């Protein structure tokens, strides 16, 4: 087992979260995104989300973060969860949905899923204003 995997496991990250972290799931950016938003949470970590949207459906989602493993696992989970979902469905998501998808997070990292959700909501909000 790699040292990083071992560290994440002993910190309380789920197997799914570790897998996302190791594979950098959906980490990156999109050319000419329909929505893009960068948001800094109260902890000082920053996330940027890029969305492709067609007929009210998110067809592709990527993110970048300057942050902790919690922000990366949350960003991966959220971008996976919202792909091929309607904007309406995505607007209803909250941090508990992200935590459930991941199978939990270390207690002190629960707020990281909020950063991902807030960044998404701001991106959608801005997209709707543009329309
Ligand atoms: Fe800030 Fe994780 S500690 S997002």
């Amino acid at each position: 087992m790699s040292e990083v995997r071992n560290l994440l496991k002993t910190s309380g990250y789920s197997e799914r979260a570790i897998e996302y972290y190791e594979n950098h799931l959906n980490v990156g950016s999109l050319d000419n995104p329909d929505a893009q938003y960068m948001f800094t949470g109260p902890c000082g970590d920053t996330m940027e989300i890029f969305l492709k949207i067609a007929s009210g459906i998110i067809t592709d989602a990527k993110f970048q973060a300057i942050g902790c493993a919690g922000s990366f696992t949350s960003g991966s989970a959220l971008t996976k969860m919202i792909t091929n979902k309607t904007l309406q469905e995505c607007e209803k998501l909250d941090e508990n949905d992200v935590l459930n998808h991941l199978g939990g997070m270390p207690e002190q990292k629960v707020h990281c899923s909020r950063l991902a959700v807030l960044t998404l909501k701001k991106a959608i909000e801005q997209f709707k204003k543009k329309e």
Side-chain angles (χ1 to χ4, degrees), residues 43 45 68 71 109 111-112 115:
C43 65
D45 287 350
C68 67
S71 66
K109 292 290 170 190
H111 74 272
C112 310
L115 173 67

Side-chain angles (χ1 to χ4, degrees), residues 63-124:
F63 78 99
Q64 288 177 336
I66 304 168
C68 67
S71 66
F72 278 94
T73 54
S74 297
S76 290
L78 186 66
T79 48
K80 185 180 165 102
M81 289 164 72
I82 62 177
T83 303
N84 297 322
K85 294 272 177 1
T86 66
L87 290 177
Q88 266 180 337
E89 288 172 307
C90 297
E91 282 173 313
K92 285 190 205 137
L93 292 173
D94 64 20
E95 58 258 40
N96 290 318
D97 297 311
V98 175
L99 294 174
N100 287 337
H101 177 92
L102 284 171
M105 282 268 262
E107 188 63 39
Q108 71 277 20
K109 292 290 170 190
V110 166
H111 74 272
C112 310
S113 57
R114 205 169 305 135
L115 173 67
V117 168
L118 283 174
T119 310
L120 171 70
K121 294 208 167 164
K122 298 266 186 198
I124 294 176

